[in-house]
Amino acid sequence: MEVTIFPAMNTLAKLQILSGAARYDASCASSGSRREGAPPGGTGNTSQSGICHSWSDDGRCISLLKLLLSNDCRYDCAYCVNRSSNQVPRASFTAREVVDLTLEFYRRNYIEGLFLSSAVMQSPDQTMERMVRVVETLRVEERFGGYIHLKIIPGSSSELVRKAGFYADRISVNMELPSQASLQRLAPQKEKAAILEPMALIGREIQESLVERKKIRSAPRFAPSGQSTQMIIGASPETDFQILRLSQGLYKKMNLKRVYYSAYVPVSDDNRLPVIASPPLLREHRLYQADWLLRFYGFTAEEILSDDAPHLDESFDPKTAWALRHPEFFPVEINRADYGTLLRVPGIGVTSAKRIVAARRFSLITPEGMKKIGVVVKRAKYFITCSGRPFEQSLHQPAQIRQQLLLGEGSGEVKLPRQLVLPGLYA
Amino acid sequence: MVKYLCDGTSDGTLSAIGLILQEHSDPGLVTLSEREDTLFEEGMFIATDPLKAEDLFSRLKEKAPDAARTLYFFMLAEQEGMANSLLHYIEQALQHGDKVNGYLTHPAVRDIVTVSRKAARELHRMKGLLRFEKLRDGAYLAQMEPDHNIIQPLAYHFSRRLRAQHWFLYDRKRRTASSWNKGELRFGTIEQFTTPALSEDEKEVQAMWQAFFKTIAIPDRKNPRLQKSNMPMKYWKYLTEKQGE
């Protein structure tokens, strides 16, 4: 008779509480790290492009077993479902429980690895230490080679941060809110310095490890998949411009791989929080679009927004909004424009721009050819020419194009965004 | 126009293409199709020569490794009636090297690249969607019915990943199987398949996963359409988290 792995119903109940409490963390990427094969005698490797294993009922990808080690929090952050004043059932896993769940799920190919975060139990250091012990057990005792994303608890010692980066593929410190003022108001027990310091430390360690590994291939890796962070959108009064400039700074100065935006889901009737009927999903979607422009399209935050127009347009994606403000940039000639210029055309993304550049080597591209190479011109047609000939005869004025685009999309009625985030595809 | 016929197997098609490219200075004037043995079929039949097929594949690998990869995935798609496109794709690949895959305005290139891309996409998808169940003897079994014949590269993927366990993959549609045990990867066919008994703790682990799957979704953001477009329903049959829905 085989022994059951999970002793009581207990683990199942804990799993429900502690995955439910972790679901508001948007990060799910499993990419950017590459371990060819499982460690000797062990299980698990990672894939450069990341792998999604399932999609939950909200349509988000599941790639990691996303858990809190505990939701028993001594902090009382207004926006958080786990705040100490909230009446919710509390639970904490033992290290063994998390290790066994990870391994049993991984062996059945349910997951790509583990995402472990936690509420602050007795202290940041005590919590971080327990989290590090989980991944240490996985890596050392169980020889687990799958993906691990570990949250850093703000305020934990640099020694623990270093240890975390040594075992995990990705580590992240959540910004939580886009400004010091909001942090002070909504999360008085968290300090900006306690968030930014470990971020800077992680950035330096990643850089150093990369340099070391160029010299000695066997030098230890530090968070090979980099660091990310998350901000809650719509719980505090910052403008999109402030948020984007913050992200831009994080990408440039701190070398972050990803900034996640999480639409505030009303989980509290605290009077410091705005009263909203539903999470601001469209705003979140537009921020992700703008974030993509920063990372892959060569835009700066100042090109996308300004102090005079600090919010992203609801009716148009940020690239189209930019194009409508810059008629002098258009039309773009498909057969001559360089890659960077093609990327600025609304409706032409990274894939399309690359296909255009590749196909041009063989012959001039005709409007018919655009279809053949799989470039959708529904939106782009107002902004391009093909060998000098326009796609749309009569439209030149931004006002006309604006009108046409709105008509083409069901008279300005904004469709609920389909999620743009493809966590598996890009870091 | 010169017309040729081949037997339609991958070896047969490739050896015919190899021969045509050797004999004709202008393959643009040649067509190749699969023999159907109808009365009025026109064209000269080229017999299968595995050596010739292998020869062509290594030439392609040397001159255009990306195109050889495209060809590999194209073959997994088991598409019929595309011998002529394949002939002209390979002709272009040998001429232009790896940049051929960007020549999507060429109809043959587009045909082959499109089919190949689909097979590659399903392989990537199955790396995530395949589900193993633990059997009574401690081995793990995953069943699937993919559109493309991807068992070989899929098994290779898991041989790197789930190294420490004994497992089987079974393609129910093609009755092909693969097994991994103690460092040995094997392929074969299973004509009579009976579902083996599960390990005693299997249902418990599955219940855990189903519970996790349910709670990880944010109720305020329910979006079944998005879920289905990312994870088409044809794959739900073997998904542990979608059982009993």
Side-chain angles (χ1 to χ4, degrees), chain A residues 111-144:
Chain A
I111 53 169
E112 200 56 18
L114 172 68
F115 170 106
L116 189 63
S117 181
S118 183
V120 180
M121 296 179 266
Q122 284 152 37
S123 71
D125 265 349
Q126 174 262 353
T127 308
M128 198 67 237
E129 224 225 298
R130 286 190 53 187
M131 292 167 71
V132 169
R133 210 177 312 140
V134 173
V135 291
E136 193 172 18
T137 309
L138 271 171
R139 288 287 196 235
V140 181
E141 248 172 70
E142 304 289 345
R143 297 166 187 271
F144 177 67

Side-chain angles (χ1 to χ4, degrees), chain A residues 1-9 11-12 15-17 19-20 22-24 36-47 49-62 64-67 101 104-112 261-263 265-266 277-279 281 284 355 358-365 369-374 416-419 422 425, chain B residues 92 95-107 110 113-114 117 123-138 140-142 154 156-165 167 198-232 236 239-242 245:
Chain A
M1 170 87 196
E2 230 166 313
V3 197
T4 57
I5 302 166
F6 304 105
M9 272 301 286
T11 307
L12 179 62
L15 177 65
Q16 278 163 329
I17 294 171
S19 64
R23 68 186 170 210
Y24 298 101
E36 274 294 325
T43 270
N45 60 354
T46 56
S47 136
S49 61
I51 295 174
C52 296
H53 286 253
S54 192
W55 281 266
S56 53
D57 291 343
D58 52 16
R60 298 190 305 166
C61 121
I62 301 175
L64 304 174
L65 171 61
K66 202 182 281 180
L67 295 176
L101 276 171
E104 293 299 340
F105 283 9
Y106 196 89
R107 288 183 189 125
R108 289 162 178 79
N109 202 39
Y110 300 162
I111 53 169
E112 200 56 18
Y261 310 92
S262 174
V265 178
S278 59
L281 292 182
E284 178 194 286
R355 283 193 190 170
R360 282 194 314 211
R361 291 177 174 166
F362 295 93
S363 61
L364 283 176
I365 301 177
M370 289 283 276
K371 260 183 221 134
K372 283 190 181 149
I373 62 177
L416 196 72
R418 294 181 36 141
Q419 194 174 7
L422 303 167
L425 286 181
Chain B
Q92 293 293 321
Q95 192 185 328
H96 297 293
D98 267 343
K99 54 181 203 275
V100 68
N101 284 357
Y103 195 3
L104 292 174
T105 46
H106 191 295
R110 194 174 77 245
V113 168
T114 308
R117 227 185 250 150
L123 170 65
H124 182 77
R125 244 182 192 153
M126 283 314 284
K127 285 180 184 174
L129 293 178
L130 199 75
R131 296 286 176 266
F132 288 92
E133 294 185 299
K134 193 176 177 189
L135 308 179
R136 188 156 289 165
D137 65 359
Y140 291 77
L141 167 71
L154 195 61
Y156 178 75
H157 167 79
F158 285 105
S159 76
R160 312 286 304 160
R161 169 164 292 209
L162 303 178
R163 261 188 193 167
Q165 67 203 60
W167 52 251
L198 296 180
S199 146
E200 278 162 48
D201 57 25
E202 182 57 20
K203 288 291 166 203
E204 195 188 350
V205 177
Q206 292 187 355
M208 295 271 182
W209 172 243
Q210 284 157 352
F212 173 80
F213 181 77
K214 236 175 229 132
T215 41
I216 203 65
I218 299 176
D220 305 62
R221 301 186 60 144
K222 246 189 180 162
N223 194 342
R225 241 188 60 200
L226 183 60
Q227 182 186 40
K228 280 178 197 150
S229 89
N230 281 323
M231 187 166 73
W236 291 13
L239 284 179
T240 311
E241 60 271 35
K242 283 290 177 190
E245 280 213 352

Side-chain angles (χ1 to χ4, degrees), chain A residues 362, chain B residues 14 17-18 20-22 24-32 56 59-60 63-64 67 71 83-98 100 103 106 108-109 112:
Chain A
F362 295 93
Chain B
L14 285 184
I17 293 171
I20 293 168
L21 294 178
Q22 204 171 40
H24 288 267
S25 53
D26 187 0
L29 296 173
V30 178
T31 66
L32 175 67
L56 178 69
R59 241 176 92 206
L60 192 64
K63 282 207 132 180
L71 174 63
N84 196 44
S85 292
L86 195 60
L87 164 66
H88 294 109
Y89 172 74
I90 294 177
E91 174 214 335
Q92 293 293 321
L94 291 174
Q95 192 185 328
H96 297 293
D98 267 343
V100 68
Y103 195 3
H106 191 295
V109 175
I112 302 301

Side-chain angles (χ1 to χ4, degrees), chain B residues 44-203:
Chain B
M44 197 159 67
F45 179 74
I46 302 175
T48 301
D49 176 357
L51 278 179
K52 197 137 230 143
E54 211 167 294
D55 201 45
L56 178 69
F57 192 72
S58 19
R59 241 176 92 206
L60 192 64
K61 224 154 106 185
E62 195 192 323
K63 282 207 132 180
D66 280 359
R69 217 180 110 80
T70 305
L71 174 63
Y72 173 71
F73 282 109
F74 173 80
M75 291 300 183
L76 299 185
E78 302 174 318
Q79 277 280 341
E80 281 169 23
M82 290 185 72
N84 196 44
S85 292
L86 195 60
L87 164 66
H88 294 109
Y89 172 74
I90 294 177
E91 174 214 335
Q92 293 293 321
L94 291 174
Q95 192 185 328
H96 297 293
D98 267 343
K99 54 181 203 275
V100 68
N101 284 357
Y103 195 3
L104 292 174
T105 46
H106 191 295
V109 175
R110 194 174 77 245
D111 285 353
I112 302 301
V113 168
T114 308
V115 171
S116 164
R117 227 185 250 150
K118 273 190 192 154
R121 198 175 65 188
E122 188 175 46
L123 170 65
H124 182 77
R125 244 182 192 153
M126 283 314 284
K127 285 180 184 174
L129 293 178
L130 199 75
R131 296 286 176 266
F132 288 92
E133 294 185 299
K134 193 176 177 189
L135 308 179
R136 188 156 289 165
D137 65 359
Y140 291 77
L141 167 71
Q143 302 184 58
M144 60 176 179
E145 291 173 37
D147 295 336
H148 307 88
N149 190 10
I150 53 174
I151 195 165
Q152 191 194 33
L154 195 61
Y156 178 75
H157 167 79
F158 285 105
S159 76
R160 312 286 304 160
R161 169 164 292 209
L162 303 178
R163 261 188 193 167
Q165 67 203 60
H166 177 197
W167 52 251
F168 297 90
L169 303 187
Y170 181 51
D171 182 337
R172 287 195 87 122
K173 216 162 152 181
R174 296 171 184 80
R175 299 178 193 279
T176 52
S178 164
S179 81
W180 170 266
N181 194 14
K182 300 196 174 96
E184 198 187 353
L185 185 61
R186 291 163 65 176
F187 295 92
T189 54
I190 298 181
E191 281 311 322
Q192 287 288 322
F193 182 84
T194 37
T195 312
L198 296 180
S199 146
E200 278 162 48
D201 57 25
E202 182 57 20
K203 288 291 166 203

Side-chain angles (χ1 to χ4, degrees), chain A residues 154-180:
Chain A
S156 44
S157 75
S158 38
E159 194 201 329
L160 283 170
V161 174
R162 284 205 186 89
K163 235 174 151 182
F166 178 66
Y167 291 123
D169 292 282
R170 171 169 286 184
I171 45 184
S172 59
V173 195
N174 279 357
M175 292 289 297
E176 305 293 12
L177 294 162
S179 78
Q180 165 95 57

